[in-house]
């Protein structure tokens, strides 16, 4: 039986995502009511610039006082899409204190203070849902938290930032340099005027922290995630990758150690074989590859950003939270019982592609090979090209720890025959 009294929703933020949430709530009102078991009513919209015309939204609902809105007491669900740390954190905790559940798309806040927010939700018996915080429209958080809750997840690896994937895809497909590809991404609206959060890996690192925490039932904060941007990736790197049958992607990688005693979370550019499913992810799309004991290998793929795709994830959470509200239940909260330590990047083991500028004379390869051997790093392949007294030496290693590779590179720099280290890149997805 349909309940006639509506569930009231407060919307914090009415930008690209918030305006789409409001639009879908209005245009799909009957369907949402049928799926939930009660109508949902947009009871207020908090914004910074109230004078701006917002099509389809009653101006009487618009306010600049977000605090008063979440304190009203008759709000059932607060949808937070303003982003950032403050005032979002205070508004969310205030919403819990005044009886509302929360749907958020705030990856930065969840990566930094997710444990505290979950604790506040639990204290007040409310829901905290955040499917839209990672990978836009792609269903990922709920499968990890619910569908795979009975399985053991060993690795989550994926492309979780559309801007960087667009740039790298352009560099790969057209031979463009980084700046040229970034300029095109900006012109098309894929990159912000200040693209730092994307290209330096901050956005992906926040998402990696969230994914690792859920996958491994362990609290992983943003500070625990190793982060390396992709601004130093060059056309020469792509040429080297193609010679190896690879391409380059900015990956978020969360994995459980072989002995199961620790986890790691990292974001960095990496070469991946063209045979790996992630290599074919083009443009601004996202994809996440999950490996678990029972389910095996799964891949989640789709648009990872944008107003409508992200709003789709928000509305999915809104339906789930409203259903919980009607039944008097709450959904899954934080699961951090495993409390595994997060290992430093130095402990991570992977393959490496190292490009060296060296003197073109006899004995150089032997000197370089000796340095690798002295640091316990096994060489898989070597390629050398020389001209006019200078040469490039490309070394691909077998699996080695980051710490041992760092020591190797430091020793290589001290050789008189090594003019410089042109690039170092990890090789993933074997």
């Amino acid at each position: 039986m349909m309940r006639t009294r509506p569930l009231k929703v407060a919307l914090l933020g009415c930008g690209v995502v918030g305006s789409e949430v409001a639009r879908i709530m209005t245009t799909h009102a009957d369907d949402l009511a049928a799926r939930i078991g009660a109508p949902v009513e947009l009871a207020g919209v908090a914004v910074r610039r109230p004078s701006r015309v917002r099509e389809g939204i009653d101006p009487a609902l618009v306010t600049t006082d977000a605090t008063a809105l979440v304190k009203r007491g008759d709000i059932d669900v607060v949808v937070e899409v303003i982003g950032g740390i403050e005032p979002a954190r205070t508004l969310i905790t205030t919403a819990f204190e005044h009886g509302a559940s929360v749907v958020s798309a705030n990856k930065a806040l969840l990566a930094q203070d997710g444990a505290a927010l979950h604790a506040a939700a639990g204290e007040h018996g409310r829901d905290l849902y955040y499917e839209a915080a990672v990978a836009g429209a792609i269903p990922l958080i709920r499968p990890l938290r619910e569908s795979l809750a009975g399985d053991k997840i060993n690795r989550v690896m994926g492309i979780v930032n559309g801007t960087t994937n667009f740039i790298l895809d352009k560099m790969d497909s057209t031979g463009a340099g980084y700046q040229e590809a970034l300029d095109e991404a900006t012109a098309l609206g894929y990159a912000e005027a200040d693209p730092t959060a994307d290209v330096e890996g901050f956005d992906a690192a926040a998402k990696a922290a969230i994914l690792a925490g859920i996958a491994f039932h362990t609290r992983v904060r943003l500070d625990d995630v190793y982060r390396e941007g992709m601004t130093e990736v060059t056309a020469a790197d792509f040429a080297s990758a193609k010679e190896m049958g690879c391409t380059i992607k900015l990956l978020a990688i969360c994995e459980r150690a072989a002995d199961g005693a620790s986890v790691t979370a990292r974001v960095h550019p990496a070469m991946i074989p063209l045979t790996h499913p992630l290599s074919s992810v083009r443009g601004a799309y996202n994809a996440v590859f999950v490996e678990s004991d029972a389910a095996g290998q799964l891949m989640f793929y789709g648009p990872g950003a944008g107003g409508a795709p992200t709003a789709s994830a928000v509305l999915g959470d809104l339906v789930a939270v409203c259903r919980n509200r009607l039944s008097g239940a709450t959904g899954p909260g934080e699961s951090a019982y495993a409390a595994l330590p997060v290992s430093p990047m130095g402990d991570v083991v992977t393959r490496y592609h190292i490009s060296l500028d060296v003197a073109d004379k006899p004995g150089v390869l032997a000197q370089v090979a000796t340095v690798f051997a002295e640091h316990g790093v096994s060489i898989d392949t070597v390629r050398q090209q020389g001209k006019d007294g200078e040469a490039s030496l490309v070394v691909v290693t077998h699996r080695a720890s980051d710490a041992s590779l760092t020591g190797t590179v430091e020793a290589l720099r001290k050789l008189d025959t090594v003019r410089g280290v042109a690039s170092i890149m990890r090789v993933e997805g074997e």
Side-chain angles (χ1 to χ4, degrees):
M1 180 181 294
M2 174 78 70
R3 192 181 86 164
T4 57
R5 183 167 61 83
L7 292 161
K8 294 189 176 183
V9 178
L11 179 60
L12 308 183
C14 198
V16 173
V17 176
S19 60
E20 282 295 311
V21 170
R23 180 188 67 79
I24 295 171
M25 284 185 63
T26 301
T27 58
H28 295 179
D30 291 342
D31 287 336
L32 290 173
R35 294 166 191 171
I36 292 168
V40 287
E41 173 189 316
L42 188 59
V45 181
V47 300
R48 285 184 297 176
R49 294 183 290 274
S51 59
R52 180 179 168 188
V53 176
R54 294 172 171 84
E55 186 177 348
I57 296 177
D58 183 351
L61 298 178
V62 177
T63 178
T64 58
D65 194 343
T67 301
L69 179 59
V70 299
K71 282 184 173 181
R72 273 179 36 175
D74 64 337
I75 299 297
D76 295 288
V77 185
V78 169
V79 174
E80 183 271 309
V81 288
I82 56 177
I85 305 302
E86 288 292 356
R89 174 170 50 198
T90 298
L91 290 170
I92 289 173
T93 55
T94 301
F96 291 142
E97 292 166 1
H98 287 78
S101 290
V102 173
V103 172
S104 176
N106 196 329
K107 53 189 171 288
L109 178 58
L110 289 158
Q112 178 173 306
D113 289 321
L117 294 178
H118 274 294
E123 178 184 353
H124 297 284
R126 296 296 176 238
D127 275 323
L128 173 62
Y129 275 53
Y130 42 91
E131 184 69 64
V134 180
I138 304 172
L140 184 59
I141 300 298
R142 192 171 289 113
L144 290 177
R145 287 211 299 185
E146 300 178 27
S147 303
L148 296 173
D151 206 343
K152 179 184 178 184
I153 297 172
N154 297 309
R155 197 174 204 226
V156 179
M157 179 174 79
I159 298 161
V160 294
N161 182 277
T163 300
T164 54
N165 198 58
F166 178 88
I167 293 170
L168 292 173
D169 184 35
K170 278 295 175 183
M171 293 176 70
D172 183 29
S173 60
T174 69
Y178 165 74
Q179 190 60 51
E180 182 183 352
L182 172 60
D183 290 344
E184 182 173 353
T186 304
L188 292 171
Y190 291 126
E192 301 286 346
D194 179 1
T196 302
D198 294 324
V199 300
E200 293 294 351
F202 290 101
D203 175 84
K207 295 169 182 176
I210 295 169
L211 291 174
I214 296 170
F216 306 131
H217 305 279
T218 292
R219 287 179 179 170
V220 179
R221 290 170 50 88
L222 181 58
D223 292 344
D224 296 321
V225 181
Y226 172 83
R227 177 193 54 79
E228 186 180 316
M230 42 76 71
T231 58
E232 301 300 318
V233 176
T234 65
D237 292 325
F238 274 101
S240 293
K242 286 181 179 180
E243 290 178 358
M244 291 178 57
C246 293
T247 188
I248 299 171
K249 299 292 186 181
L250 185 75
L251 298 178
I253 304 172
C254 314
E255 55 191 351
R256 190 188 301 269
D259 62 4
S262 64
V263 299
T264 58
R266 50 196 165 102
V267 169
H268 54 71
M271 294 182 179
I272 58 172
L274 294 175
T275 54
H276 194 282
L278 291 177
S279 71
S280 62
V281 179
R282 301 296 184 187
Y285 274 68
N286 284 190
V288 178
F289 204 69
V290 178
E291 300 176 29
S292 68
D293 276 1
Q297 298 179 331
L298 307 168
M299 192 168 93
F300 301 83
Y301 169 84
T310 305
S312 171
V314 170
L315 267 295
D317 279 349
L318 179 63
V319 169
V321 170
C322 285
R323 286 171 174 170
N324 291 343
R325 192 84 170 184
L326 289 179
S327 66
T330 55
E334 183 189 34
S335 176
Y337 73 90
L340 297 171
V342 182
S343 296
M345 187 62 186
D347 292 349
V348 170
V349 175
T350 188
R351 296 175 67 207
Y352 290 87
H353 176 283
I354 306 102
S355 180
L356 305 172
D357 295 327
V358 300
D360 187 14
K361 63 182 183 180
V364 173
L365 179 56
Q367 286 183 328
V368 169
T370 297
V371 170
F372 276 86
E374 288 175 346
H375 288 80
V377 179
S378 175
I379 294 176
D380 182 15
T381 63
V382 177
R383 186 177 69 256
Q384 184 173 3
Q385 294 177 325
K387 184 179 180 181
D388 298 329
E390 298 295 327
S392 64
L393 190 66
V394 176
V395 179
V396 179
T397 74
H398 288 289
R399 291 175 65 82
S401 72
D402 188 82
S404 63
L405 196 283
T406 298
T408 303
V409 172
E410 290 175 355
L412 288 170
R413 294 183 193 277
K414 296 176 182 178
L415 293 178
D416 292 338
T417 51
V418 174
R419 310 297 193 218
V421 179
S423 68
I424 304 171
M425 192 166 296
R426 296 167 183 87
V427 182
E428 302 284 350
E430 299 174 88

